Structure formats: C-alpha cells, structure tokens
Amino acid sequence: MRGEGFRGLTLSELLTIKQVEKLFSEGRRIDERGFLEFREIEIGTNVIEKAFGSARVSLGDTVVVAGVNFELDTPFPDSPDKGILIVEGEVLPTASFGAEAGPPNEYEIELSRVVDRGIRESEMLPLEDYVIKRGEIVYKIFLDFNIINDDGNLIDAANLAAVAALATAKMPDINYVKEHIDEINNINIKEIPKVDVKIRDLPVAVTLGLKNNKFIVDPIFAEEIAVESLITITHTNKGELCSIQLLKGSLTFEQVFEAINIAYEKNIELRSILERNGIKVI
C-alpha cells in the first residue's frame, strides 16, 4: 500500500497526517465530513475526442480520466470464443509531489488490478459477444485511466471513471466488421459505423478505512496513511459482491461484514449519481 514505500511524504503531508489522527480521536474528519460521507462527485463523459469512449471523474480534489479504445487482435489460446479486455492505470507525474514517470510501481499495478477485477468479475462486458471469427479475430478492448490529481481514494474515482467510459462508449459495429473483414484493419477501424457498447452491469467500488474501530468512506490521502486498515468492496447492480481487496492492515470477521454492509449502502448512493449522469444498464 502506498505510504508504506509508495513514495516519500512531504513535511506538509506528515503534519496533515498528525492532524488527521488527532481529529479521528475526537470523532471528526479534517474536512468536516461525516465518517460515511463522500466528497463532492462530478462526472463528465465523452471528454476525449479520439477515444471510443471516455470519462472524467472528480472526487473532491482527486481527478481521474479514463478512455476506451478498440482493436482487432487474436484471442488468447485458452479463450478462443471471447474478446480481450486490458485495464491499465497510471498516476501521472504531475498528480502529486511524489509521483514519478516510468514503469508502473506496485501501487499502480494494484490499482489497475482492483479496477479490472470489479469489471471482469461483474461480467460488465459480455466478452463472448466481441468475437468476430472464433479462434482467429476478436475485439481487444483497452481501458486506460490516468490519475490527473491525487488526493486519495484513487480506486473509487478510477472505478467510476472506467465504468462511465465503458458504459457510454461507442464500438465499431461488429456485424459491419464481419461483413467487411477483408477491408477492416486497426488503421481504419475508427472510420466504420459505430454502435453502443454492450454492457450487462455497472460494478461500483467503495473503499473504507478503519481507525479506532470506526469506518470512514472516501479517505483523502492523509487519511489513507493514518488509518489502520483499508478495504475496497465492489458490488454489482443487483447488490451482489463481485470483488473484495484488503489494501492495508487487517479486519476481524465482524468488521468485514460491517464493511460489506456499509459498502452496500454507499454503492446505492454512488449508483444514483451515475444514473443522474445518464450512466446505467439499459
């Protein structure tokens, strides 16, 4: 988990963490939110002109942009009847004082995997419907997201951006591609007719921190460092669990179920924000 080797902390951040810990002991948060209250959330879609789909999410001062692209490729040998989904995230060097350019670090890898797992395990994308010629040609879907500004809770922000980008994306019409397969390639694929991306679900992630036996949602960066434990729980449209990731520390059996119940309630809240922005399963 970052803060434990992810990057060095500035003096200002260290002082803020001390202040956060003091306020926690008083039952308060540094930004005066309730323990189970999210920061203000803003969602915009179709923000990248050249992408098949895109979204920008602001979660307080944390900002994430996600984009979707399609290519033709050969399916994996063990899944000849399914398209390919690649999810990758990056914290841009300008996102925080400690972020650096170069290969993804351990936290960025974990961030990508948690977002990927929620989408994959919920079966948001019916990958069997992205096959053009079984065993030979399928759609390869790239879902990339960039952290523009880092003030904590990157997973929830990245999840919202990724889901919004996919749910509002337009894909190359697969029937058209099948009929003109000898004419279509990865250079002209953006020029063919497009249709709505097929989705089955909208997985929503909720990250909780535990401090002094009390849970908080949507931790800012300083709170992520100060809490004893962090866990991300992702639910489907029907309220079913599709992924759980313990990011830091440990939880008792009772605490895990308390976290699941809180995440379920906050999942409903976040889903209503997505729907107000026209992002839903049709």
Side-chain angles (χ1 to χ4, degrees):
M1 180 62 200
R2 65 198 187 131
E4 299 171 356
F6 168 67
R7 66 176 176 85
L9 299 173
T10 66
L11 177 59
S12 174
E13 287 170 335
L14 288 169
L15 293 174
T16 303
I17 292 166
K18 289 294 184 183
Q19 186 180 4
V20 164
E21 291 176 335
K22 179 177 182 299
L23 289 170
F24 273 152
S25 67
E26 300 171 359
R28 298 166 55 199
R29 298 179 75 170
I30 195 167
D31 52 12
E32 299 301 330
R33 280 184 293 149
F35 275 24
L36 302 182
E37 183 180 350
F38 273 86
R39 290 169 287 176
E40 183 178 355
I41 300 173
E42 294 182 0
I43 301 174
T45 56
N46 300 313
V47 297
I48 303 174
E49 183 179 348
K50 294 183 179 180
F52 285 91
S54 59
R56 182 184 189 274
V57 168
S58 297
L59 183 53
D61 289 334
T62 293
V63 182
V64 183
V65 173
V68 179
N69 274 298
F70 285 80
E71 287 186 2
L72 302 176
D73 208 336
T74 304
F76 294 133
D78 60 348
S79 52
D81 55 351
K82 289 185 178 180
I84 299 169
L85 173 65
I86 304 294
V87 179
E88 292 183 342
E90 180 184 7
V91 180
L92 297 184
T94 54
S96 69
F97 287 113
E100 298 179 354
N105 57 45
E106 290 183 7
Y107 180 71
E108 289 172 308
I109 293 171
E110 181 178 46
L111 173 61
S112 299
R113 286 177 177 172
V114 174
V115 174
D116 176 280
R117 190 176 301 122
I119 292 171
R120 200 175 297 275
E121 294 302 320
S122 69
E123 297 185 343
M124 177 182 182
L125 294 177
L127 293 178
E128 64 274 12
D129 290 346
Y130 294 92
V131 178
I132 296 162
K133 193 172 183 179
R134 189 183 188 279
E136 296 184 28
I137 307 173
V138 298
Y139 277 149
K140 188 175 188 179
I141 307 157
F142 292 93
L143 174 56
D144 298 302
F145 60 88
N146 290 311
I147 310 301
I148 307 299
N149 195 63
D150 176 6
D151 189 33
N153 199 11
L154 302 187
I155 290 176
D156 291 7
N159 166 262
L160 287 173
V163 166
L166 280 173
T168 57
K170 299 287 186 179
M171 59 183 278
D173 187 338
I174 196 165
N175 292 322
Y176 183 95
V177 173
K178 288 178 180 178
E179 293 172 4
H180 302 81
I181 191 59
D182 294 332
E183 305 168 18
I184 306 299
N185 54 52
N186 286 328
I187 296 176
N188 61 21
I189 193 170
K190 290 190 175 182
E191 300 171 6
I192 70 172
K194 298 178 180 64
V195 296
D196 291 339
V197 165
K198 299 177 181 179
I199 61 169
R200 289 177 177 155
D201 212 306
L202 291 177
V204 172
V206 175
T207 299
L208 301 97
L210 181 69
K211 182 72 173 180
N212 301 331
N213 291 317
K214 292 184 179 180
F215 282 106
I216 64 168
V217 301
D218 184 24
I220 63 171
F221 179 78
E223 290 175 331
E224 289 182 339
I225 307 303
V227 296
E228 298 149 3
S229 303
L230 276 171
I231 188 170
T232 297
I233 299 169
T234 306
H235 283 89
T236 67
N237 260 7
K238 296 180 179 179
E240 299 171 340
L241 281 172
C242 59
S243 74
I244 299 180
Q245 180 76 18
L246 184 65
L247 305 166
K248 176 183 178 182
S250 61
L251 297 172
T252 66
F253 183 81
E254 292 77 13
Q255 287 170 338
V256 169
F257 278 91
E258 181 182 355
I260 290 172
N261 288 333
I262 294 171
Y264 175 77
E265 295 299 326
K266 304 314 289 186
N267 173 284
I268 296 172
E269 180 182 321
L270 293 178
R271 199 173 295 282
S272 68
I273 294 173
L274 286 170
E275 291 180 353
R276 286 201 299 272
N277 284 272
I279 302 160
K280 56 186 177 180
V281 178
I282 299 175

